[in-house]
Amino acid sequence: LEWGTISETNNYGFEVEKSPDEPTSYQLILNSFVPGHGTTLEPQQYSYIDITATAGQWWYRLKQIDLDGTVHYMDGIAVDILTGVSEKPLPIAYSLGQNYPNPFNPATLIRYSLPASGQVSLAIYDVLGREVAALVDARQESGYYETEWDATGFSSGVYFYRIHAGDYVDMKKLVLMK
């Protein structure tokens, strides 16, 4: 779960509650407390991962607690968990890892992460900026990915790989040595 505030007044923190199937009879998730920022005019971002969730639909709501003990409840949201909770939480930021091995011959592995679903393109370019291989050009769900580039048939030298996902763009260098 991710949420944000525009400003805060006497915010002690948040507790996360959930209910199965319908937005009634919420139960506190143990150890779900997320500290607030007291009083601030700055926007704040928060997140919580429910490691107890199982496959199905769950309703979640926030219980915001003031420093004086006053409690405010946010409206609930429905979350469909189709495959359960993996051991590795979903990424919170876009990233493009350095290929491994580097230098390589003839194949190398490229890893990247997507915090949101969307169209992804990952391509290889030569030093003149010409695209020489398209590794990914598809819509992908949020998560961690890896793809291999088999450079059999390519000349030794320096190449670049570039990812474009949503507003995120990154590029890294790789070296093919035969």
Side-chain angles (χ1 to χ4, degrees):
L1 303 173
E2 294 180 353
W3 67 97
T5 60
I6 296 173
S7 64
E8 297 178 16
T9 304
N10 296 321
N11 182 13
Y12 176 66
F14 302 90
E15 289 181 329
V16 181
E17 299 181 339
K18 74 177 180 180
S19 175
D21 299 324
E22 56 188 53
T24 59
S25 65
Y26 285 96
Q27 298 293 318
L28 173 67
I29 300 173
L30 294 178
N31 301 314
S32 67
F33 182 76
V34 177
H37 285 85
T39 299
T40 178
L41 297 175
E42 298 293 319
Q44 302 296 323
Q45 296 297 315
Y46 299 94
S47 66
Y48 174 77
I49 297 172
D50 181 8
I51 61 171
T52 68
T54 57
Q57 184 179 65
W58 293 90
W59 283 83
Y60 290 89
R61 75 174 178 186
L62 292 175
K63 175 182 174 183
Q64 188 271 318
I65 306 164
D66 288 344
L67 291 169
D68 66 3
T70 304
V71 172
H72 308 275
Y73 291 95
M74 310 306 161
D75 291 335
I77 61 165
V79 176
D80 286 316
I81 300 174
L82 302 176
T83 59
V85 176
S86 69
E87 291 180 16
K88 192 172 191 178
L90 291 176
I92 59 172
Y94 289 97
S95 69
L96 177 63
Q98 185 62 53
N99 67 299
Y100 180 81
N102 191 31
F104 69 98
N105 179 27
T108 189
L109 192 65
I110 299 170
R111 292 188 172 113
Y112 57 98
S113 63
L114 309 171
S117 303
Q119 186 67 27
V120 177
S121 67
L122 178 63
I124 307 292
Y125 296 86
D126 65 15
V127 292
L128 298 177
R130 297 177 296 206
E131 183 177 317
V132 296
L135 303 180
V136 177
D137 187 16
R139 178 171 173 75
Q140 293 183 318
E141 299 300 315
S142 63
Y144 297 92
Y145 292 87
E146 61 183 34
T147 188
E148 183 180 72
W149 182 38
D150 184 346
T152 302
F154 286 87
S155 301
S156 294
V158 174
Y159 293 86
F160 298 90
Y161 57 105
R162 177 181 182 264
I163 190 169
H164 184 192
D167 293 333
Y168 177 74
V169 177
D170 196 4
M171 181 178 283
K172 296 198 183 296
K173 178 172 74 170
L174 48 80
V175 178
L176 172 59
M177 285 189 6
K178 291 190 172 183

